[in-house]
């Protein structure tokens, strides 16, 4: 068995290959990061559901000390809805120099071309060498944030790491039934049938739930076993790209075949009968009552059940397994950590110091600034050991979750910065690390995500007119097919015809146009 240290090393190496990092040397002398000769204060409207910008955050104070630029919050928590807060702000016309927080992308890409926000392209080229180096090394990310007019209006929050969710199976049940983790669809079906029929929890009742999910979308994601697709992205309406063509996961031969088989498994009692209704507590309930056999869920939180249920469920062992080989013989994991988020920060037209502001944004892409945004203050939250930031023992062992500790000081918030996955590795359960390392043994396991597009006014009009009703219809039929109230084979031709009548092809056309404009 690999040690946790070995796992950390291998995962960090694998993670670094996911998003290319600019190899720029960063100065360390006093004043090296100063963006202004004189102290400069700019107002910022920074709003998220959990918090607004806090002038007293230690990270804010340290950034101000290093850059000579202080940010002053003007956002209110009178509402916890960031879009509502932005709408009120834009309606007032009284924008502060910096606008930041949740879901900035669509807002600034809509109002930037109208003059409300400053294009950042030239500023980045001239005054932000670290941001420029990042975009030069990650052209797909740069393309994804472009507005319809070809300009960059915001610097995004950029997550790090590769694997988000994975398959977990009751290894103790497999051992009891003398079975191995399934490698193919056929083996998976056999295992689920045995979980259903052979009483692996030993209570003499046929009460096991072979396959369960907290989120029903993870059930639909299993169409990948039949070469279907749901989505490589949680943010962009389940569209994906195949050889330059924009497609949607809820059409196509693989989806058709996948839903047909999942409906069959549901009818056979292999899938949780309450998969669409049980909700977010299904994992806790089914595992703690020794009822659940297999799921697809987040590595970190799911792996923790081996510790939390050790005393309650004797022999409990919920272990990561590789995705079974699909009908094409390939293993596919569709869910991955996002490469770019819609959160970040932008400059409004009222910013009279755009050069200083872009230099401030660039600071968070230097080694010093990135470390500050990820780990907090050296000597307080972490120490440098062998050239790497390592959280202090009291931080790691605190009863307050580490991510919450970071939020309290202004680290790991949705400013425009590149996250460092090493921040999370230090407090990730060793079982999760082992599972991630297992996934990393399969080349090309992850599918490439669709990073999004910005629609121009005419394209957005077509999308807004049609998409909501199309998606509702897709989901309605999807659930009816799984639950068995309708038959996908009998419905398929009429389903595709109805999508056409509802404007599906028109939506694909405008999405493709936006994609070609940004990426080709």
């Amino acid at each position: 068995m690999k040690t946790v240290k070995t796992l950390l090393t291998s995962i960090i190496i694998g993670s670094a290959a996911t998003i290319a990092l600019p190899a720029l040397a960063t100065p360390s002398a006093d004043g090296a990061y100063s963006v202004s000769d004189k102290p400069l204060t700019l107002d910022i409207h920074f709003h998220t559901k959990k918090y607004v910008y806090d002038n007293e955050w230690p990270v804010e104070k340290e950034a101000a000390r290093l850059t000579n630029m202080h940010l002053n919050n003007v956002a209110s928590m009178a509402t916890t809805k960031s879009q509502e807060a932005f709408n009120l702000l834009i309606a007032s016309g009284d924008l502060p120099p910096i606008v930041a927080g949740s879901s900035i992308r669509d807002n600034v890409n809509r109002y930037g071309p109208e003059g409300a926000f400053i294009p950042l392209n030239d500023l980045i080229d001239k005054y932000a060498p670290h941001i420029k180096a990042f975009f030069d090394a990650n052209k797909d990310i740069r393309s994804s944030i472009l507005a319809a007019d070809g300009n960059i209006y915001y610097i995004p929050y950029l997550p790090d790491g590769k694997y988000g969710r994975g398959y977990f199976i009751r290894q103790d049940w497999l051992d009891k039934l003398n079975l191995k983790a399934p490698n193919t669809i056929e083996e998976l079906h056999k295992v689920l049938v045995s979980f259903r029929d052979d009483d692996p929890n030993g209570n003499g009742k046929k009460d096991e739930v072979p396959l369960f999910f907290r989120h029903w979308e993870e059930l639909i994601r299993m169409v990948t076993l039949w070469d279907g697709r749901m989505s490589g992205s949680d943010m962009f309406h389940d569209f994906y790209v195949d050889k330059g063509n924009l497609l949607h996961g809820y059409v196509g031969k693989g989806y058709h075949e996948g839903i047909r088989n999942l409906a069959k498994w549901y009818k056979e009692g292999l899938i949780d009968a309450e998969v669409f209704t049980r909700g977010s507590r299904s994992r806790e309930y089914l595992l703690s009552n020794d009822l659940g056999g297999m799921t697809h869920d987040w590595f970190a939180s799911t792996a923790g059940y081996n510790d939390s249920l050790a005393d309650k469920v004797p022999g409990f062992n919920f272990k990561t397994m590789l995705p079974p080989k699909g009908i094409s013989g390939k293993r596919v994991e569709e869910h991955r950590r996002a490469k770019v988020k819609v959160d970040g920060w932008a400059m409004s037209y009222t910013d009279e110091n755009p050069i200083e502001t872009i230099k401030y944004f660039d600071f968070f892409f230097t080694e010093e600034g990135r470390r500050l945004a990820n780990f907090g203050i050296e000597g307080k939250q972490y120490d440098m050991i062998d050239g790497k930031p390592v959280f202090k023992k009291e931080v790691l062992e605190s009863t307050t979750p580490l991510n919450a500790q970071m939020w309290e000081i202004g680290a790991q918030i949705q400013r425009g910065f590149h996250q460092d996955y090493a921040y999370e590795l230090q407090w990730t359960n060793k079982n999760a690390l082992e599972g991630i390392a297992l996934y990393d043994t399969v080349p090309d396991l992850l599918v490439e995500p669709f990073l999004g597009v910005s629609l121009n006014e005419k394209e957005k009009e077509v999308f807004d007119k049609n998409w909501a009703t199309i998606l509702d219809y897709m989901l309605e039929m999807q659930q009816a097919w799984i639950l068995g109230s309708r038959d996908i084979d009998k419905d398929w031709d009429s389903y595709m015809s109805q999508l056409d009548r509802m404007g599906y092809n028109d939506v694909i056309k405008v999405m493709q146009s936006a994609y070609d404009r940004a990426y080709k």
Side-chain angles (χ1 to χ4, degrees), residues 185-205:
I185 300 173
E186 293 76 14
E187 291 177 7
L188 174 57
H189 185 265
K190 179 182 176 181
V191 164
L192 295 176
V193 168
S194 188
F195 281 1
R196 180 194 67 191
D197 296 341
D198 297 334
D199 194 26
N201 65 13
N203 66 358
K205 302 177 182 178

Side-chain angles (χ1 to χ4, degrees), residues 122-380:
D122 290 343
L123 289 168
I124 290 170
D125 288 344
K126 294 178 181 178
Y127 305 107
H130 298 86
I131 295 175
K132 183 179 187 303
F134 182 90
F135 285 153
D136 286 347
N138 299 278
K139 297 185 184 302
D140 57 339
I141 292 178
R142 185 186 186 280
S143 294
S144 75
I145 68 172
L146 294 177
D149 65 357
N151 283 317
I152 295 171
Y153 287 100
Y154 87 115
I155 304 301
Y157 161 48
L158 298 151
D160 192 24
K162 293 163 64 176
Y163 305 106
R165 293 183 173 107
Y167 285 98
F168 285 79
I169 195 165
R170 288 290 296 274
Q171 183 64 45
D172 53 322
W173 285 11
L174 291 174
D175 293 342
K176 182 175 181 179
L177 300 174
N178 197 28
L179 297 170
K180 295 182 179 180
N183 272 307
T184 65
I185 300 173
E186 293 76 14
E187 291 177 7
L188 174 57
H189 185 265
K190 179 182 176 181
V191 164
L192 295 176
V193 168
S194 188
F195 281 1
R196 180 194 67 191
D197 296 341
D198 297 334
D199 194 26
N201 65 13
N203 66 358
K205 302 177 182 178
K206 198 172 180 177
D207 56 358
E208 289 84 355
V209 178
L211 188 60
F212 70 92
F213 305 93
R214 285 191 303 156
H215 309 109
W216 61 263
E217 294 92 341
E218 297 309 305
L219 168 64
I220 308 305
R221 198 182 297 279
M222 289 186 71
V223 299
T224 54
L225 296 176
W226 292 274
D227 291 345
R229 284 287 301 270
M230 178 186 166
S231 166
S233 166
D234 288 338
M235 294 189 294
F236 298 108
H237 306 284
D238 297 327
F239 290 96
Y240 69 97
V241 178
D242 181 36
K243 298 177 182 177
N245 297 313
L246 201 73
L247 305 169
H248 194 271
Y250 296 166
V251 300
K253 180 180 177 181
Y255 175 76
H256 182 172
E257 188 167 352
I259 294 295
R260 179 203 296 128
N261 281 278
L262 292 175
K264 176 177 175 289
W265 288 11
Y266 183 88
K267 185 176 181 179
E268 293 173 354
L270 305 181
I271 296 170
D272 182 13
E274 300 178 44
V275 67
F276 290 104
T277 57
R278 198 188 294 272
S280 60
R281 292 195 57 81
S282 60
R283 183 179 61 176
E284 176 71 26
Y285 173 78
L286 293 172
L287 293 180
S288 63
N289 286 282
D290 201 14
L291 299 174
M294 177 180 165
T295 196
H296 188 264
D297 211 323
W298 290 98
F299 274 102
S301 60
T302 311
Y305 281 93
N306 284 332
D307 295 327
S308 64
L309 297 181
D311 296 331
K312 184 173 183 179
V313 183
F316 183 88
N317 186 6
F318 210 33
K319 190 173 181 179
T320 306
M321 58 171 269
L322 288 172
K325 294 177 182 177
I327 57 174
S328 62
K330 179 177 173 58
R331 300 186 194 273
V332 171
E333 175 54 64
E334 193 180 45
H335 186 271
R336 65 174 298 154
R337 290 172 181 264
K339 295 171 71 172
V340 58
K341 287 284 193 176
V342 295
D343 314 319
W345 48 19
M347 295 183 215
S348 84
Y349 73 97
T350 66
D351 192 342
E352 298 178 355
N353 301 275
I355 294 175
E356 291 81 0
T357 303
I358 199 66
K359 288 181 177 180
Y360 181 80
F361 289 175
D362 193 60
F363 163 71
F364 286 98
F365 281 74
T366 67
E367 292 179 11
E368 181 83 20
R370 188 183 182 205
R371 195 160 55 238
L372 177 65
N374 277 281
F375 298 94
I377 314 297
E378 183 178 358
K380 295 184 178 180

Side-chain angles (χ1 to χ4, degrees), residues 37 103 105 315 380 478:
D37 293 336
S103 300
R105 174 185 175 275
K380 295 184 178 180
Q478 183 183 91

